[in-house]
Amino acid sequence: MRAKILLPIILVIVSFSAKAQVGLMIGPGLNYGFGSGQLFKTLNLGVEIPRDENASIIIRAYASLKNSKRDSTYASAYDLMTSPSVKTVNMKNGVTQFGIQGGTRRYFIGSNFDYGFGLYGGTIFDLSFYKLSSKLMDEIDESVYMVERTNTGSVFLLSFGLQGGMKKQFAFGTLFTDLSLSYAIVAAGSAKLSGNAGDQVSALNFGFTIGYRKDLFF
């Protein structure tokens, strides 16, 4: 939700600040978290602004579909005289990913930003936000039992890494695909975070995006 709010603001600011040319980008992507095994299906929207013929700056926002996984946990009775005092209950854990990514691209093989086929590489930073939710699948009297290890709350990551890809320009616009690898140097959880977020959030993330870019001139 935050990405949906911030994106129009970013696009407006960048569009008005661009003196000559800006490329609007849209496309689907995949983000994979090493260790967590989470594969997020994302939609990416953003801009690419050329600094010169061979270098550009990108800013894009992304949001994923929710990943859901069935799991089990324990429910402990408040009163030890309750029978049973501990029992297993089924639950569904969910996680959704939002983020803003920025960085630089340098076109080093083939053509430059504007024409033909080219390969590019550069650095990126990633501000990502994970929303964790947990839902009980079994009916349980929560006035009698306390459910253990529910994954709820949110996690924020600040990551840096590398990206690379290729593009091909056509009369109708530019098609591109890129790969990225980033590692979180800052991680923080919300005050309401509970449970173990390690199986849903990873510090090392791999991204893949395919997309379409339309250049606008001012």
Side-chain angles (χ1 to χ4, degrees):
M1 183 60 69
R2 294 184 181 182
K4 295 178 181 178
I5 296 174
L6 289 173
L7 180 60
I9 298 175
I10 293 172
L11 292 178
V12 170
I13 293 174
V14 174
S15 296
F16 279 103
S17 64
K19 296 181 179 180
Q21 183 179 2
V22 60
L24 302 182
M25 304 185 299
I26 184 171
L30 296 172
N31 289 337
Y32 178 76
F34 291 95
S36 69
Q38 293 283 351
L39 181 64
F40 295 96
K41 302 175 181 65
T42 64
L43 176 64
N44 300 265
L45 299 171
V47 294
E48 182 176 4
I49 306 169
R51 299 173 58 189
D52 55 46
E53 290 185 349
N54 297 312
S56 64
I57 297 173
I58 65 163
I59 301 175
R60 62 186 175 195
Y62 58 88
S64 79
L65 299 174
K66 178 184 285 189
N67 283 354
S68 296
K69 178 182 178 181
R70 296 183 70 92
D71 203 348
S72 61
T73 188
Y74 297 103
S76 302
Y78 292 103
D79 186 350
L80 296 180
M81 300 302 293
T82 302
S83 181
S85 60
V86 178
K87 62 181 180 179
T88 302
V89 293
N90 294 313
M91 63 193 318
K92 181 183 289 185
N93 293 325
V95 57
T96 309
Q97 183 188 57
F98 307 93
I100 297 177
Q101 189 178 85
T104 60
R105 285 180 177 176
R106 177 159 292 277
Y107 294 84
F108 56 88
I109 296 179
S111 61
N112 56 29
F113 175 87
D114 285 311
Y115 303 105
F117 172 83
L119 299 180
Y120 56 81
T123 58
I124 58 167
F125 73 88
D126 197 315
L127 302 173
S128 54
F129 174 81
Y130 297 80
K131 181 66 176 178
L132 281 60
S133 61
S134 184
K135 180 180 179 182
L136 288 174
M137 305 301 294
D138 297 333
E139 292 187 5
I140 186 172
D141 188 347
E142 295 190 51
S143 66
V144 177
Y145 289 94
M146 177 181 64
V147 179
E148 304 286 350
R149 300 197 306 271
T150 56
N151 292 340
T152 58
S154 57
V155 176
F156 167 83
L157 300 181
L158 172 60
S159 306
F160 288 89
L162 300 174
Q163 65 159 332
M166 61 182 180
K167 64 92 179 181
K168 181 69 170 70
Q169 189 172 46
F170 300 91
F172 57 84
T174 301
L175 299 180
F176 68 89
T177 180
D178 58 49
L179 306 173
S180 66
L181 185 66
S182 62
Y183 184 79
I185 61 170
V186 176
S190 66
K192 296 181 179 180
L193 181 65
S194 62
N196 179 19
D199 60 348
Q200 293 178 286
V201 180
S202 173
L204 181 62
N205 288 275
F206 170 79
F208 170 74
T209 306
I210 58 175
Y212 167 76
R213 189 189 82 203
K214 180 65 176 179
D215 295 333
L216 303 178
F217 298 87
F218 297 90

